[in-house]
Amino acid sequence: MASFPLFCDFPVELQLAIWALALPDLEPEVCIVWPLQIMNFPIADEEPALPFTVDTAWPAVAHVCRTARQVAHTSRALRLRHSPNAGFAVPYRHFIPAIDTLYWGRNQAEAMYTFLLKPENASFARELRQIAVEVAGTYPHDQLANIIRQRAVYLKTLSFVLPSTQGSHSTTLSFLPPARRCRLRHIPSSSWDEVKLARVTFLRAGERVPMPLREYLDKRRRDMEEYVRGFNVQREEGTAWISRNGGGSFSGVDIKAQTFVEYKTTVVENNRQQEQWAEVCQNRLLGGFELQDAAAPHPRRIAVAKRKNPEEYRVLDDDSAWWSAEEFKLWLQQTNFSFDQEWYRTN
């Protein structure tokens, strides 16, 4: 406005219209399903908190003047909710299935499978274009195959999410997603032969040598396709499953490997702030259900009655508190959760 001083003399309606045109296009974001622990057993039919939301950045136009900020706040691109970690209101918007990615982890997989297959959620699932799932939450393969073939029939991308882009990763070990605003970064196909996966669930115990990521992704695709063919899972519509000569495949779905990166600012020379997206999940690994892992972190279950409204409160801030070893053991006792130690040693 300094270069166009007459702008302030325009009618307010015209100023609002101009600022609305200055708003940037919506950026694709990732929606992390919450709570991070959703129990289908022994507590039946728990569901994710709705509505699904995504963190966003402040649009630059919101910092120009009061009128521009008013336009930004009334658009669908920017809403505010309280963040206890930040100490002030932070921007968010509702999840948009056409551009955003819906992510869930191992401790939510059963609940999301049930949620997406419910008839009342069919229209939502049809709109999904990008799904990302923690590798530890992708077994058994029939769940993802059913979701895509029966409900998310127009899905374009299915991502298997690892805690980092390097090294070897157990397919049975879970991790917490970032606590701050984050994105999913592709693991380039050029490194798929170098990244290894251990304790691969679809192999017999004696065959479980580390498997290259490329081989793992190919096998997961084949397993899902064989399930659809073997159980004759039919659907007349959609682009994810391509039928041909009485058979078919998920050739309409691009299968990728990704990892989370979290937005961070660091102070560098001359007290300048440097912004970057950094991998953090390799430092947020969780324990399994084996007794010997009870001392490792576990996501805290938040009872339905205690869940806050995700439109008013940044609920992911609460998941920075993990169960202690004693709390986890107490939960196992209270829920009468039982497991076979020998099974976990050999599977």
Side-chain angles (χ1 to χ4, degrees), residues 13-139:
E13 294 80 4
L14 183 56
Q15 292 184 40
L16 293 174
I18 292 173
W19 286 125
L21 292 173
L23 288 172
D25 293 335
L26 296 178
E27 289 281 339
E29 303 285 356
V30 56
C31 170
I32 298 174
V33 171
W34 185 86
L36 300 183
Q37 177 79 270
I38 309 177
M39 299 299 297
N40 259 26
F41 173 83
I43 303 165
D45 213 23
E46 276 197 354
E47 292 194 345
L50 299 176
F52 292 126
T53 62
V54 299
D55 291 318
T56 64
W58 290 95
V61 70
H63 300 289
V64 177
C65 66
R66 183 172 58 185
T67 306
R69 189 158 49 250
Q70 176 186 344
V71 171
H73 285 183
T74 55
S75 73
R76 69 171 183 164
L78 179 66
R79 302 185 181 199
L80 298 178
R81 59 184 172 188
H82 176 65
S83 167
N85 285 353
F88 49 81
V90 295
Y92 82 98
R93 63 169 170 78
H94 286 164
F95 172 75
I96 302 175
I99 64 172
D100 296 325
T101 299
L102 187 65
Y103 168 85
W104 64 82
R106 181 187 68 184
N107 296 294
Q108 304 155 308
E110 287 286 345
M112 288 305 297
Y113 175 67
T114 303
F115 175 81
L116 291 173
L117 288 188
K118 286 185 175 180
E120 58 266 33
N121 297 323
S123 60
F124 169 78
R126 281 169 52 88
E127 296 177 358
L128 290 172
R129 297 297 181 267
Q130 290 84 218
I131 288 176
V133 186
E134 178 188 23
V135 164
T138 61
Y139 187 83

Side-chain angles (χ1 to χ4, degrees), residues 27-270:
E27 289 281 339
E29 303 285 356
V30 56
C31 170
I32 298 174
V33 171
W34 185 86
L36 300 183
Q37 177 79 270
I38 309 177
M39 299 299 297
N40 259 26
F41 173 83
I43 303 165
D45 213 23
E46 276 197 354
E47 292 194 345
L50 299 176
F52 292 126
T53 62
V54 299
D55 291 318
T56 64
W58 290 95
V61 70
H63 300 289
V64 177
C65 66
R66 183 172 58 185
T67 306
R69 189 158 49 250
Q70 176 186 344
V71 171
H73 285 183
T74 55
S75 73
R76 69 171 183 164
L78 179 66
R79 302 185 181 199
L80 298 178
R81 59 184 172 188
H82 176 65
S83 167
N85 285 353
F88 49 81
V90 295
Y92 82 98
R93 63 169 170 78
H94 286 164
F95 172 75
I96 302 175
I99 64 172
D100 296 325
T101 299
L102 187 65
Y103 168 85
W104 64 82
R106 181 187 68 184
N107 296 294
Q108 304 155 308
E110 287 286 345
M112 288 305 297
Y113 175 67
T114 303
F115 175 81
L116 291 173
L117 288 188
K118 286 185 175 180
E120 58 266 33
N121 297 323
S123 60
F124 169 78
R126 281 169 52 88
E127 296 177 358
L128 290 172
R129 297 297 181 267
Q130 290 84 218
I131 288 176
V133 186
E134 178 188 23
V135 164
T138 61
Y139 187 83
H141 58 266
D142 60 285
Q143 291 189 349
L144 283 175
N146 273 322
I147 288 173
I148 301 172
R149 188 70 182 109
Q150 296 188 52
R151 289 291 186 262
V153 294
Y154 293 101
L155 191 73
K156 294 185 179 297
T157 303
L158 173 63
S159 295
F160 291 75
V161 183
L162 298 171
S164 72
T165 57
Q166 298 178 342
S168 179
H169 308 282
S170 170
T171 65
T172 63
L173 192 61
S174 189
F175 62 88
L176 280 181
R180 302 178 62 183
R181 185 180 174 222
C182 60
R183 289 177 176 170
L184 285 166
R185 173 181 290 170
H186 295 313
I187 300 176
S189 58
S190 58
S191 64
W192 285 6
D193 295 320
E194 301 170 7
V195 178
K196 299 293 194 299
L197 294 175
R199 291 183 60 84
V200 178
T201 48
F202 50 71
L203 297 178
R204 296 187 183 92
E207 300 174 348
R208 290 187 177 174
V209 296
M211 174 181 285
L213 177 59
R214 186 184 307 278
E215 183 180 347
Y216 177 85
L217 295 178
D218 289 343
K219 183 68 166 62
R220 297 317 300 265
R221 179 190 286 274
R222 291 197 305 271
D223 285 346
M224 290 193 299
E225 292 172 346
E226 288 172 5
Y227 172 81
V228 172
R229 299 188 200 106
F231 286 84
N232 197 28
V233 182
Q234 295 294 327
R235 195 74 176 180
E236 295 181 357
E237 59 184 344
T239 58
W241 180 265
I242 307 299
S243 298
R244 56 171 66 91
N245 300 326
S249 68
F250 282 118
S251 54
V253 179
D254 187 13
I255 293 184
K256 298 181 178 180
Q258 294 184 311
T259 192
F260 277 108
V261 288
E262 181 181 84
Y263 180 76
K264 287 189 171 185
T265 57
T266 55
V267 178
V268 294
E269 189 178 356
N270 298 325

Side-chain angles (χ1 to χ4, degrees), residues 316-334:
L316 284 172
D317 285 359
D318 284 346
D319 283 323
S320 59
W322 296 341
W323 261 331
S324 67
E326 292 305 316
E327 287 175 320
F328 180 63
K329 291 177 181 177
L330 179 62
W331 174 80
L332 291 178
Q333 295 169 1
Q334 290 176 339

Side-chain angles (χ1 to χ4, degrees), residues 269-341:
E269 189 178 356
N270 298 325
N271 288 325
R272 291 185 298 107
Q273 282 195 338
Q274 184 179 58
E275 301 175 350
Q276 61 178 340
W277 293 90
E279 295 182 20
V280 295
C281 291
Q282 66 270 23
N283 299 321
R284 294 171 64 80
L285 297 178
L286 299 173
F289 283 108
E290 299 91 329
L291 281 176
Q292 60 267 30
D293 281 352
H298 289 78
R300 184 187 300 273
R301 177 181 172 267
I302 300 177
V304 174
K306 295 183 179 180
R307 296 179 186 177
K308 297 181 175 67
N309 184 347
E311 294 182 291
E312 300 174 354
Y313 184 92
R314 191 175 185 276
V315 291
L316 284 172
D317 285 359
D318 284 346
D319 283 323
S320 59
W322 296 341
W323 261 331
S324 67
E326 292 305 316
E327 287 175 320
F328 180 63
K329 291 177 181 177
L330 179 62
W331 174 80
L332 291 178
Q333 295 169 1
Q334 290 176 339
T335 58
N336 294 319
F337 191 93
S338 63
F339 45 79
D340 186 335
Q341 289 288 297

